[in-house]
Amino acid sequence: MFTYINGLVKKIKSSEKGQGMVEYALIIAFVAAIAIWAFSDDGVGSAVTDAFTNAGSMVQGANDAAESLSNGQ
């Protein structure tokens, strides 16, 4: 198993495609880490959750108002 992984690492190091794939993997990992932190309770997750909750409440209120106007109430 170690020999196989070692061969893959050598192949990736010698290939330009491998370098690009590693760079993209690092970018994706960085973005994922930021997203996990942002949506966790210790990060800004509660603020994001509150913002989405408030936006949802506003949309629901606007929908209720539009329905009452269209029903003639």
Side-chain angles (χ1 to χ4, degrees):
M1 182 69 169
F2 184 72
T3 307
Y4 177 73
I5 293 172
N6 217 6
L8 285 176
V9 169
K10 287 180 183 178
K11 195 175 192 180
I12 288 173
K13 283 183 178 180
S14 67
S15 170
E16 290 294 320
K17 288 182 182 178
Q19 179 183 357
M21 287 176 27
V22 169
E23 290 171 356
Y24 283 122
L26 289 172
I27 291 169
I28 290 170
F30 180 70
V31 169
I34 296 297
I36 290 169
W37 173 79
F39 288 107
S40 71
D41 290 335
D42 296 336
V44 294
S46 59
V48 172
T49 301
D50 290 344
F52 278 108
T53 301
N54 291 339
S57 297
M58 288 181 195
V59 169
Q60 186 62 45
N63 186 41
D64 292 343
E67 283 182 357
S68 68
L69 286 175
S70 67
N71 292 334
Q73 294 179 354

